[in-house]
Amino acid sequence: MAASPLPRIPHFVIFPFMAQGHTIPLIYLARLLRRRSAAITIFTTAANSPPIRATLRGVDGVSVVELPFPENIDGVPPGVENVDKLPSLSSFFPFVKSTKLMQNSFEQALETLDPPVSCIVSDVFLDWTLRSARRFGVPRLCFYVTGQFSFTMYQIFLRERPHAAVDSLDEPFPVPGFPHLTLTRNDSEPPFNDTEPSAGPFMAMVFEHMESVRMSQGVVVNSFYEMEKRYVDHWNENIGPKAYCLGPLCLAAAAAPPPLPEKPGYIRFLDEKLELGEPVLYVAFGSQGELSKEQFEEIAKGLEQSEVSFLWVLRTAAAAANSGLDLEEFDSVEFEERVRGRGVVVKEWVDQVRVLRHGGVGGFLSHAGWNSFMESICGGVPVIAMPFVADQHLNARFVVEEAGAGLRVWPRGGSVRGLVMAEEVERKVRELMMGGEEGAEVRRKVAEYRDAAWHAMEEGGSSMLTLDLLIHEMGTIEIAKT
């Protein structure tokens, strides 16, 4: 009697978009899939490979394949292979478009994989990978860097255009399917908030992305079902393809941060404040936000006037330079001297996950990037949302008004966009950090979400059960080769 064939090992190909915020969650996903004994191959470029390999150090069974990044692309400086290093956001469109030139080398590499690829997980900006998946007859899962709420709103804007009935960017409009919810056009970016989006290459790219989502076999969501249940259910029942909540993916990192050979100064500062019982406000606005000199100065003035201890990470030097801001000029000796003893300014990379899980941190003044919000929730740290670009305004709506997990600073003049004054920064920082009634309620909600998030990522939790379901379903889907 012939022996039964051994079950085929699932082999997931993961292809992140070349930006730190897009890459890190998918590296965490690779860790999760390895825990289920799947073979993993991560595709990237030579310049993006070193930090990926460093993050995966100690993880067996994950291969990293480097593809050549296209050269001589108009609008993309030579040698730049990551969005975080682009000179300005105006280079974003040609950068995304240029990735299409990687398709041939990607498919040639897929031919060599052993065991053969069984599923491709790729970023929404890499829509062309759907065609590659079909040529190999395997399912493709799409990854979008924001949460389910924002992704659902973008789809509703494109499909049903509820904002077309209002002329003003700040006039509220109801959202179909969600009678409790009103938004404004300023809560999203063009072309999503255009009342009559014009034809053009950028709009064509957006529709290509959305069509590739629709034709994929699922969407990987860096969130957990208990927090976004309403929007996951709406997506699965009315939009699709199926959303798989597998997060918070940051909890798939090592169980405990590796010991540091030497504590950096910012950790020593947090340790000292923890011993004194003085909670610290962590302040960071991501790597791509373009803040004006005037806005930097208002934030600094508000922090100084708040009399709250803070750790401010200025890792946006490139974006600041694009705005005409000299960080050396802004971060003057006078400012540091005035806040000495309670305020620390850092101009280098910090381990944000480590900071947000430090017991000395009591709040997070943030740009409302989704990864940062997930990391904050997992650390039990409430957010003060100060959005600037991209999905950040929708994320802020969700964090503050839907989840109740944060406060929001508002610009002057009644719009959701514009200059936030120092007095507003001071007021919200004091409310959160000094025991205000609103701040206390936010802390209670964040504690609930923290517990739910950690439970979701435990064996038997919602995200781990969804991971098992995803692996099973991707192994049963038959895709005709094209």
Side-chain angles (χ1 to χ4, degrees):
M1 181 176 179
S4 300
L6 293 175
R8 178 182 172 185
I9 298 174
H11 187 174
F12 283 81
V13 161
I14 296 178
F15 201 157
F17 182 60
M18 300 80 175
Q20 182 179 1
H22 292 243
T23 300
I24 291 175
L26 287 180
I27 303 307
Y28 291 147
L29 175 62
R31 284 180 172 268
L32 279 185
L33 290 167
R34 276 302 297 151
R35 294 179 190 174
R36 294 301 193 252
S37 300
I40 310 294
T41 300
I42 297 173
F43 281 83
T44 188
T45 68
N48 290 290
S49 177
I52 291 176
R53 294 179 187 275
T55 304
L56 291 168
R57 190 172 293 121
V59 181
D60 297 327
V62 179
S63 301
V64 178
V65 175
E66 298 174 6
L67 301 178
F69 191 80
E71 298 179 342
N72 302 319
I73 303 298
D74 288 341
V76 180
V80 173
E81 298 181 10
N82 190 292
V83 168
D84 297 346
K85 297 185 181 301
L86 291 175
S88 72
L89 291 178
S90 63
S91 297
F92 183 78
F93 172 68
F95 185 94
V96 174
K97 187 178 178 181
S98 71
T99 66
K100 295 178 183 292
L101 301 176
M102 302 173 70
Q103 184 171 351
N104 285 341
S105 58
F106 177 58
E107 293 177 2
Q108 289 171 9
L110 289 178
E111 291 277 7
T112 69
L113 295 184
D114 183 31
V117 57
S118 53
C119 180
I120 294 174
V121 184
S122 58
D123 196 281
V124 67
F125 288 130
L126 306 177
D127 57 78
W128 50 268
T129 57
L130 174 64
R131 296 191 294 275
S132 299
R134 288 187 167 185
R135 286 175 184 170
F136 283 80
V138 299
R140 183 251 183 163
L141 295 172
C142 173
F143 173 72
Y144 196 75
V145 75
T146 192
Q148 191 64 56
F149 170 81
S150 297
F151 200 29
T152 300
M153 293 303 109
Y154 281 133
Q155 288 282 358
I156 290 175
F157 290 168
L158 287 175
R159 291 173 176 224
E160 304 186 47
R161 303 187 49 71
H163 57 289
V166 299
D167 296 322
S168 168
L169 288 170
D170 293 305
E171 182 180 349
F173 60 85
V175 179
F178 301 98
H180 72 290
L181 181 63
T182 58
L183 296 174
T184 71
R185 288 169 55 199
N186 256 335
D187 284 308
S188 62
E189 304 278 335
F192 298 99
N193 67 359
D194 292 339
T195 55
E196 295 182 4
S198 57
F202 186 78
M203 195 63 191
M205 181 185 75
V206 169
F207 278 111
E208 284 179 5
H209 293 338
M210 294 303 102
E211 180 64 11
S212 78
V213 172
R214 187 182 71 84
M215 300 299 293
S216 296
Q217 280 64 56
V219 178
V220 171
V221 185
N222 181 16
S223 187
F224 54 105
Y225 181 73
E226 291 80 359
M227 188 173 70
E228 296 200 83
K229 178 181 184 300
R230 173 183 288 168
Y231 300 99
V232 174
D233 289 346
H234 180 89
W235 177 279
N236 287 338
E237 294 168 6
N238 301 283
I239 302 176
K242 186 174 182 176
Y244 295 89
C245 286
L246 303 180
L249 288 169
C250 60
L251 292 183
L260 297 170
E262 181 181 351
K263 281 188 179 181
Y266 63 87
I267 293 294
R268 295 198 300 271
F269 173 73
L270 294 177
D271 289 344
E272 293 167 3
K273 290 300 180 181
L274 180 59
E275 288 183 10
L276 294 171
E278 299 176 7
V280 175
L281 177 73
Y282 175 58
V283 184
F285 300 111
S287 58
Q288 295 181 40
E290 296 185 356
L291 278 67
S292 67
K293 181 176 185 293
E294 188 177 12
Q295 185 62 82
F296 263 96
E297 291 172 343
E298 291 296 325
I299 294 170
K301 184 178 178 182
L303 291 174
E304 182 178 348
Q305 293 175 169
S306 72
E307 299 182 349
V308 164
S309 297
F310 63 89
L311 170 65
W312 188 358
V313 179
L314 295 179
R315 58 186 181 195
T316 55
N322 295 333
S323 302
L325 173 62
D326 182 348
L327 286 183
E328 293 298 330
E329 175 187 337
F330 158 72
D331 187 21
S332 63
V333 174
E334 290 82 3
F335 175 72
E336 291 193 71
E337 189 61 38
R338 290 196 303 269
V339 299
R340 186 176 300 279
R342 69 173 180 89
V344 170
V345 177
V346 180
K347 295 182 182 178
E348 58 196 36
W349 180 87
V350 304
D351 187 338
Q352 180 163 289
V353 171
R354 188 186 295 267
V355 167
L356 289 170
R357 296 187 194 176
H358 192 287
V361 174
F364 183 10
L365 177 56
S366 167
H367 60 307
W370 189 253
N371 289 336
S372 290
F373 177 54
M374 287 288 97
E375 293 165 1
S376 191
I377 283 289
C378 293
V381 177
V383 167
I384 302 175
M386 190 174 183
F388 297 103
V389 296
D391 61 322
Q392 295 167 12
H393 286 84
L394 285 173
N395 293 343
R397 287 283 191 188
F398 177 79
V399 170
V400 176
E401 299 174 21
E402 296 288 299
L407 305 178
R408 183 167 182 176
V409 291
W410 293 96
R412 63 183 179 184
S415 175
V416 300
R417 295 177 187 256
L419 184 67
V420 176
M421 304 303 293
E423 293 74 20
E424 174 71 354
V425 174
E426 176 190 358
R427 185 170 69 86
K428 292 300 172 65
V429 168
R430 283 175 166 269
E431 174 65 31
L432 183 66
M433 302 296 289
M434 294 186 173
E437 183 177 339
E438 190 178 4
E441 175 60 19
V442 164
R443 290 189 184 281
R444 185 188 67 81
K445 290 293 293 183
V446 168
E448 291 179 359
Y449 285 126
R450 176 198 58 207
D451 294 345
W454 282 83
H455 178 68
M457 293 295 285
E458 295 171 349
E459 291 299 331
S462 61
S463 293
M464 295 306 292
L465 292 174
T466 301
L467 178 69
D468 291 335
L469 179 65
L470 179 150
I471 294 172
H472 170 73
E473 292 184 345
M474 292 305 106
T476 60
I477 292 176
E478 294 184 5
I479 305 293
K481 292 184 178 182
T482 59

